[in-house]
Each structure stands twice: as structure tokens, then as C-alpha cells.
Amino acid sequence: MSNTLLIAQSTMEQEIDALLAKMTLEEKIGQMNLYSGFYDATGPAPEGGSAATKYEHLRKGWVGAMLNVRGAEETRKLQEIVVNESRLGIPLIFGLDVIHGQKTLAPVPLAEAASWDMELIKKSAAIAANEAAAEGVHWTFAPMVDISYDPRWGRVMEGGGEDPYLGAKIATARVKGFQGDDLSSTTTIAACAKHFAGYGFAEAGRDYNTVDVGTYTLYNRVFPPFKAAVDAGVKTFMNGFHLLNGEPVTGSARLQREILKGKWGFDGFVVSDWGSVAEMIAHGHAKDSTHASQIGVKAGSDMDMASGSYLKNLVGLVKDGKIDEANIDEAVRRILKVKMELGLFDDPYKYSDLEREKERIYHPDHQAGVLEMAKKSIVLLKNEGNLLPLSKNQKGIVVIGDLADDKNSPLGSWRLASENNTAVSVLEGIDAITKEYQFVQGPKVFLEASFLQHVKINETDNNGMKEAVEAAKNAEVVVMVLGEHGFMSGESRSRTNIDLPGLQLKLLKEVYKVNQNVVLVLMNGRPLALPWEAENIPSILETWQLGSQSGNAIAQVLFGDENPSGKLPMTFPRSVGQVPIYYNAYSTGRPVNKEGNVFWSHYADEENSPLYAFGHGLSYTTFNYSDLNINANDSKNIQVSVTITNSGSRAGEEVVQLYLHDPVSTLVRPVKELKGFQKIALEPGASLTVSFTLTDKELGLYNRDYEWVVEAGEFRVMVGGSSEKGLTGSFEIE
Ligand code: GLC
């Protein structure tokens, strides 16, 4: 750390000490209290959390932070109360779920992960930070870095997919994008790695459900993106609602003190999830609110989101000697440090600037940035007969499906500060390229939709089916836009059925009966089970929920202005019965059917293989892999190189992926693990040799004592355009 930085840090420490010395116990505890604002509930309303109570508490300095307050004007108003009317005037920090944008929305995080483009992901987070900071937000509750194998869990849309290596790279990119190089700048905000740890392994994909994973999975699959976030300098962490191996994570000193603040040296603060301190009572871990507060503070949960437990109980607990005031001081120190780094003590109103808000929100540069992100997030799953791309002079295009005209669903479900119906729809995107098409809605799919309720879906009313089939009959090509409503994935949106919802598959089959030239455009927040579609439909585009510029990105890919380059960050199952299904699984002792009998690891009624594998994604061109070369002379720096040629007729981008397998290991290793990737662009006919360096960092794993170990022996390498196939080789290390 540079001298200047060291001096700044020690000055800051001195300022914090001086401030702490002035604070009463109530004022210290006030800093640990986070209230929700008056606009959005992103969880069950807190008891007694009425607006009136909060103003009183603001004046008393009993509130250190607020979430769900939006806009320069509102944040300024509340900040003025605290700064001018509370005794010490310690500024509030305003947090918000800026998950993938403030007003200008980027694709949902799972879609961004499909781009495998870390520079673009970082830029997308920077755009989100820029607009959030212009609307008075200091702190986002993102990136969510929970690894998950379970598309029944609605929050997969919010993460980076199933792989810890890709997830760690994305965590780094997003933290650096949100926080930039200078946290005190009014274009950056503090980030928050969440939900520490293991939330994505909720049993049966049911949100908030129990998590029970062994240390091997915890250390080698769950932890890596969180550790990457710490290494990237993330300022805050959020724990979670769930039980991990018998202990609520909100009450886990092992996770928060031993691992996060101890081993990893995290120097920011930990915020609870919404009400999760008090929820330790429902878990059966705390006797009452007082006990829950004691557990939370002792476990290193520095700030209590929206439960009011700390404010209610900590003074008494300290006075009764049940909590050391040193624990309180440590938490408050961490919180004050982030506020100082944001520059809030220098100017508490610097982020609440009406002029800047007007100038920044929906800035054309932001729209251009999220459009680029959206285009690179689209995955071409199938393109038999090269039905895609469509020609711009194509006649007889019929577009069918509710979602084609939907300006809301592409915004996803985590869009608190955005405005309804601000996405470019597919029809609007196509309109910008050609007017030569006919739109037929077909049967209504989504009957009713709101953020706080489940989407009501039409399961019976076929009205519109006939018109759609009629229109398809005479079409040259049919573009079917099908999938989920934006509020069907996200928090507390778990589903046991991951087929196309409602009558959509029936509509697709009826249309396909009269016209086989069908392009299926999927709009969804999670992997879906699409066996019939994959078997019959010639071209399938996975477009996720692409945010504000959704329709333009989709249309530019449909008509070939953009050659799709996305790769799946999460496995698509053939059936929900296969879940959890993921590429980096273990061999088992009976991986194949040797004697032609039933005694091997398989299903009687389904294949073991996925419908579409992790890392899968096609292009309008083709790529050829050759000359895999492995140089293991230096076992500390193994060099792997491969040549990729664009063997097609148009420019394109390819994500070159390197997978490793250690066939003999004390702790069994997955059949393959992603340990390197590079996204390259190639003109038709051009070739490029791509190199990877493998070190202990790529070869090793954590053992049960959380020690990094590298075992000698053979390692197998596969390099290709997906986790399914590629050029293979091997090397030995001593
Ligand atoms: C929610 C989510 C968390 C979010 C928080 C504030 O329940 O679990 O990810 O940041 O509450 O909205």
C-alpha cells in the first residue's frame, strides 16, 4: 500500500477513534440500524417500521443507514434531518438493490454472465453505479455471487451461474465496476457481496429453504466468488436468510469472523439480510429478539437490516454485560470507515444532486452500453439449416407471442428504481430494422403481474390460437417470442415446473404443425426444460431478460447485424427431474453401463446428459480448434496453447474454454473444471493461437481443513467452445 494511502488510512483511523469517543452507546447502536424507506418493500414490513417512527429515530441519531429511498431530492431531505438535527450529524448511507442498473437497465446478471466478457460486465456495473450515485444511492446490494445448480430457484437470474471459476471472475468485474478506483467519486458506489454463504444450494430450489453442504463443496464451489470479491476490495458483505449446516448464516461466527474477517482479512462491514437477525427466532436458533441480537453481534453481523432488533436490544445487552461494548465499537468502526471512504463526512449531500440526476439518468452513453452488453449476452442454442440470421429483405415474417410486445418483462424482477414499460420490445426492435412483418399475439399468457404477487397465467383460454396458426400458415418464417414474465423469476419465485408456462408450448406445437420455419426467441430468467422445442424447432435463441435495450439487441441478432457469441453460464436440463444437474459433477463409481444391466448411475426414464451444456453457444460462423500444445517442463507454470480458426463466412467471437481434470486425487475431483477462458474475435478465415498458463492456483483445491493443496500426478486438459467437447491432452506434475 502506498505511503499516501497508509497516511490516509491512519488519519481515517484517528478520525474514527475521535468520533467513537464522542458517541453515546445509543448513537453507536444507531449506526448498526438500517431502516427501509417509505417506497418499496423488498421483504416483509418490519414491525413498527412506520414512517413516523423513523423520522423521530433519525433525529435521535438512531438510524445509520436506509434502503429503498430513491432520488436526489428524497435522499437529501432525509440526510438534512440527520446531519442538521441529530447530535453528532453522522450522515446516513443510502443502500438500494441496484442489481443490474438504476433507471437504464442492463441484462439480468445471469444474462450478463452468458457474455463471458469481463470488461463489458465491469462497464455495465459502472453504468449502474453512475446512475445510482446520481439518484442519491451510496451503496448497492450487489453483486449476488451465489453459485447454484438449481433452476427451480428463482434467484439464479441474479447470479453468475453454476461455476465457481466463472463466478469469481464475474464477482471481481462487478465489484470493480461498481466501486471504480475512487469510492469518493460521485460516479461510484460501495458494492456488497451476497449472500454469505451457500444460499444458492437451498434444498429443492425452494427459496429461503435449508442449506446443507459439506466443507468440500463450501470451500471449493461456494466460497471462491466471495473470496474474489474480498480480493477485489468489496466494501460490504451481506449474509442471508438460510440455515447453513444447522446454523443460520446471520448467526455464524465461523463464516463471518473466522473466515471472512479472519482468514480473508475483510475490513468492510457485514449487513444482515432483510429481517434475518429476528428470523433466527423462527429458525429455532434464538429464544427471542434479545437473544437474536446477541447472537448476531457476536457472530459479526455488523448491521441489522429492517428488523429493528439491534436498536431495541443492544443497549440493554451491553449494560447487562452480555455483549462487550468492544463488539459494538468494532462494528461501528467498520461502518464509519465505509461512510468516510464514500466522502460522506466531507459532503453528506454530494450524491444528492438534482442537476446531475437529470443529466445522468438514461444518458445515451448508458443506453449504448447496455445495448452492447445485451447483444453479447444472447446465446444461440440451435440453428439447424441456418434459418438465422434473417435477411433484412425477408418477406412474410410473422411474429407471435405475448412477450414480443412486452416492454416490462425484459426488465426482470429486480428493478426497484427503474420505470415500468421502459424496455425496447422485440416488436420495436424489429420495427427499427424492417416494417415487413405481421404481429399476432396468440393466446394471452400472463393475466396479471406484480412485484409483490405471483404472476397469474392463462392455462385454459385458447382465444387467439386460431389467428396465430392462420397467420403462421402463410408465413415465410415465424418468430415465436415465448418464455417467462419478468416477475416469474427472482426472489421468492421458485417453481417446481420449469417448462414454458401456460399454453405457450401448445401454441408453439400448433404453429409448428403448419409451418416448420420457426425461430424460437426465449425470454426467461432461469434455465427452462425444453425437450420438445430442442428436438423440433430449427433455431432457438436464448435472450434471457436483456434490460432497457432488449428489443434492439434481439432484433440485431435476428437480422445478423450482431453475430451471437454468448455461452451458457448454467446447464439447461432435459427435465426438472434431473435437477441439480451441472457440468462439473463427479464420475461416481458406476458412470457407464458396462454389462448391459441396470446397475449403473442413470435414470430409467431420462438421459443423464443435459439438454444444453454449460459453456454451450453457437455462432453464425464456425470455429475450428487445432494444434493443442502442452508444455509442462515447469510444473509451476504449465503452458497450454491452441489455435482457433474462423472456418465460416462471417466475423464472429468465440469463448475459448479450458477445462482440467485430475483423474486420481485424495479428494475426488469433478470430471472437468473450468480453469481458463478467453473471448476472441476472428474475421472469416483468420486464425489465432490462444495461450493459457496453469499454476498451483488452477491445479489445486481446498482440503477439509481449508488448506490449499496440489497433488502430484496426471492432469487432463480439454480446450474447446463448450464444456462438452474439445481438443484433449494431458501432463504430469511431480
Ligand atoms: C432481500 C434480498 C436481498 C436484498 C435485500 C434488500 O430480501 O434477499 O438480496 O438485497 O432484501 O432488498
Side-chain angles (χ1 to χ4, degrees):
M1 195 185 283
S2 71
N3 261 345
T4 332
L5 213 51
L6 277 172
I7 294 164
Q9 288 291 4
S10 70
T11 316
M12 191 180 285
E13 295 304 334
Q14 286 159 14
E15 284 171 12
I16 291 171
D17 287 342
L19 184 50
L20 261 179
K22 287 185 212 158
M23 294 170 79
T24 64
L25 179 58
E26 287 78 1
E27 288 165 338
K28 292 177 185 176
I29 290 161
Q31 289 302 304
M32 300 165 73
N33 179 36
L34 164 61
Y35 271 160
S36 179
F38 315 137
Y39 298 94
D40 310 287
T42 51
E47 280 161 40
S50 74
T53 328
K54 290 180 185 136
Y55 280 111
E56 200 32 47
H57 292 178
L58 291 173
R59 289 190 180 92
K60 289 181 174 172
W62 289 0
V63 186
M66 292 190 80
L67 77 150
N68 296 340
V69 181
R70 297 186 290 165
E73 194 176 347
E74 288 307 318
T75 51
R76 174 178 285 273
K77 202 167 76 180
L78 292 168
Q79 194 71 290
E80 280 170 349
I81 294 173
V82 169
V83 170
N84 299 333
E85 299 181 42
S86 73
R87 190 176 74 89
L88 292 172
I90 298 172
L92 290 167
I93 180 171
F94 289 107
L96 188 70
D97 291 286
V98 187
I99 306 299
H100 55 104
Q102 181 82 358
K103 286 278 190 304
T104 305
L105 290 187
V108 296
L110 188 63
E112 289 198 352
S115 74
W116 293 56
D117 186 326
M118 297 308 122
E119 273 316 301
L120 272 187
I121 290 173
K122 181 178 169 188
K123 193 178 159 199
S124 172
I127 290 169
N130 192 306
E131 291 201 359
E135 287 206 332
V137 175
H138 308 137
W139 170 36
T140 177
F141 305 123
M144 182 271 226
V145 298
D146 301 311
I147 295 294
S148 182
Y149 309 144
D150 198 330
R152 294 172 295 181
W153 189 53
R155 296 196 79 161
V156 292
M157 55 69 70
E158 196 179 343
E162 71 190 42
D163 180 74
Y165 182 89
L166 179 61
K169 296 288 183 192
I170 291 170
T172 303
R174 303 203 80 210
V175 167
K176 289 186 179 295
F178 285 127
Q179 297 187 167
D181 300 328
D182 174 9
L183 199 60
S184 69
S185 151
T186 54
T187 60
T188 60
I189 55 178
C192 178
K194 71 184 187 183
H195 303 79
F196 194 55
Y199 184 25
F201 286 75
E203 277 177 5
R206 198 177 84 223
D207 210 351
Y208 317 130
N209 200 7
T210 306
V211 173
D212 205 294
V213 289
T215 48
Y216 184 33
T217 294
L218 193 62
Y219 297 162
N220 291 292
R221 294 174 187 261
V222 174
F223 277 2
F226 286 104
K227 177 64 169 58
V230 172
D231 295 344
V234 73
K235 290 298 170 190
T236 71
F237 256 59
M238 182 185 292
N239 52 42
F241 299 116
H242 56 288
L243 200 63
L244 173 65
N245 304 338
E247 181 181 53
V249 293
T250 301
S252 172
R254 165 80 179 133
L255 281 177
Q256 297 179 146
R257 289 196 181 281
E258 282 177 47
I259 300 281
L260 178 60
K261 296 174 177 176
K263 271 186 186 296
W264 294 354
F266 172 66
D267 65 356
F269 69 84
V270 177
V271 63
S272 81
D273 203 338
W274 182 293
S276 66
V277 169
E279 289 178 8
M280 288 195 279
I281 303 165
H283 272 296
H285 188 64
K287 199 164 63 278
D288 54 25
S289 165
T290 307
H291 187 205
S293 305
Q294 182 187 26
I295 294 169
V297 168
K298 288 191 165 186
S301 295
D302 302 306
M303 188 182 277
D304 165 18
M305 179 189 288
S307 91
S309 307
Y310 282 7
L311 189 66
K312 201 167 106 195
N313 302 300
L314 291 189
V315 172
L317 283 162
V318 171
K319 287 185 173 158
D320 296 347
K322 290 184 180 157
I323 287 186
D324 294 342
E325 188 157 356
N327 282 162
I328 305 293
D329 289 352
E330 187 233 334
V332 176
R333 190 183 293 284
R334 288 171 178 269
I335 294 164
L336 293 176
K337 181 168 174 289
V338 174
K339 290 185 175 184
M340 281 189 183
E341 288 171 340
L342 282 162
L344 293 174
F345 282 90
D346 303 329
D347 174 2
Y349 309 108
K350 62 191 286 190
Y351 294 83
S352 307
D353 177 323
L354 279 170
E355 280 320 301
R356 193 167 60 239
E357 186 178 58
K358 284 197 203 85
E359 172 221 312
R360 292 258 188 83
I361 298 303
Y362 295 131
H363 193 284
D365 292 351
H366 300 168
Q367 296 287 2
V370 299
L371 171 58
E372 184 63 13
M373 186 77 253
K375 292 191 297 189
K376 303 296 182 192
S377 303
I378 293 174
V379 183
L380 179 59
L381 295 177
K382 184 181 175 188
N383 194 22
E384 218 161 64
N386 292 324
L387 186 57
L388 286 176
L390 304 177
S391 145
K392 290 183 182 175
N393 311 317
Q394 176 80 51
K395 297 294 178 221
I397 299 174
V398 170
V399 181
I400 300 175
D402 233 356
L403 284 167
D405 199 17
D406 187 331
K407 292 168 63 66
N408 237 357
S409 290
L411 301 176
S413 63
W414 266 122
R415 50 188 181 89
L416 288 193
S418 74
E419 291 165 313
N420 279 342
N421 297 310
T422 50
V424 174
S425 71
V426 172
L427 297 186
E428 288 166 337
I430 295 176
D431 253 352
I433 292 179
T434 171
K435 306 286 182 207
E436 289 290 319
Y437 72 92
Q438 178 197 1
F439 169 57
V440 182
Q441 178 186 297
K444 195 103 188 80
V445 181
F446 310 110
L447 302 176
E448 219 178 284
S450 87
F451 177 67
L452 291 174
Q453 302 301 330
H454 283 297
V455 178
K456 283 196 178 41
I457 296 163
N458 168 23
E459 307 276 2
T460 54
D461 176 359
N462 286 289
N463 183 14
M465 187 77 77
K466 236 171 63 234
E467 291 77 356
V469 173
E470 224 19 66
K473 251 186 211 144
N474 316 313
E476 291 297 313
V477 64
V478 184
V479 177
M480 301 280 295
V481 186
L482 307 173
E484 293 183 307
H485 186 278
F487 289 145
M488 290 183 76
S489 54
E491 184 177 352
S492 62
R493 268 91 174 178
S494 298
R495 293 173 66 203
T496 59
N497 175 340
I498 55 172
D499 304 339
L500 279 174
L503 301 172
Q504 296 182 96
L505 180 53
K506 185 178 170 195
L507 170 63
L508 182 60
K509 286 180 174 176
E510 291 303 316
V511 163
Y512 184 74
K513 273 183 203 159
V514 300
N515 191 327
Q516 286 73 51
N517 280 346
V518 175
V519 174
L520 172 57
V521 175
L522 291 166
M523 238 189 234
N524 44 301
R526 58 165 39 96
L528 298 174
L530 308 160
W532 185 89
E533 299 86 333
E535 179 65 29
N536 295 284
I537 302 302
S539 294
I540 304 176
L541 270 182
E542 176 51 74
T543 74
W544 313 104
Q545 286 147 357
L546 292 172
S548 301
Q549 286 293 323
S550 170
N552 285 331
I554 293 170
Q556 289 180 31
V557 166
L558 280 173
F559 289 91
D561 285 345
E562 174 73 22
N563 184 355
S565 60
K567 300 281 185 180
L568 292 180
M570 200 171 167
T571 301
F572 274 51
R574 296 176 185 282
S575 138
V576 72
Q578 292 177 294
V579 171
I581 178 172
Y582 45 100
Y583 87 94
N584 48 354
Y586 303 102
S587 163
T588 77
R590 297 189 174 185
V592 288
N593 173 3
K594 277 189 237 160
E595 287 95 31
N597 56 41
V598 294
F599 304 108
W600 62 290
S601 181
H602 75 297
Y603 301 100
D605 58 354
E606 185 55 275
E607 293 185 36
N608 284 355
S609 64
L611 186 66
Y612 294 113
F614 174 82
H616 170 75
L618 303 177
S619 169
Y620 293 152
T621 186
T622 49
F623 296 99
N624 183 47
Y625 284 70
S626 60
D627 306 324
L628 175 66
N629 194 297
I630 301 170
N631 177 341
N633 298 336
D634 172 0
S635 64
K636 293 293 178 201
N637 272 294
I638 291 119
Q639 299 299 324
V640 179
S641 67
V642 67
T643 300
I644 297 96
T645 303
N646 178 342
S647 46
S649 57
R650 51 175 299 150
E653 290 171 280
E654 171 72 333
V655 180
V656 183
Q657 302 156 48
L658 180 146
Y659 294 88
L660 267 189
H661 174 47
D662 178 350
V664 178
S665 175
T666 310
L667 283 173
V668 170
R669 306 292 292 273
V671 293
K672 61 189 80 161
E673 292 177 88
L674 181 71
K675 291 294 181 186
F677 63 88
Q678 292 181 38
K679 188 162 191 175
I680 61 171
L682 285 174
E683 291 299 316
S687 295
L688 183 68
T689 297
V690 170
S691 304
F692 297 93
T693 301
L694 300 176
T695 67
D696 282 0
K697 231 161 90 10
E698 286 74 34
L699 302 180
L701 75 156
Y702 283 105
N703 65 16
R704 286 203 186 80
D705 301 322
Y706 199 55
E707 293 154 348
W708 189 255
V709 293
V710 180
E711 288 199 6
E714 180 197 7
F715 281 82
R716 293 175 188 156
V717 179
M718 182 185 82
V719 182
S722 95
S723 63
E724 275 189 312
K725 58 184 185 306
L727 299 180
T728 55
S730 65
F731 60 90
E732 292 268 341
I733 60 166
E734 304 307 315

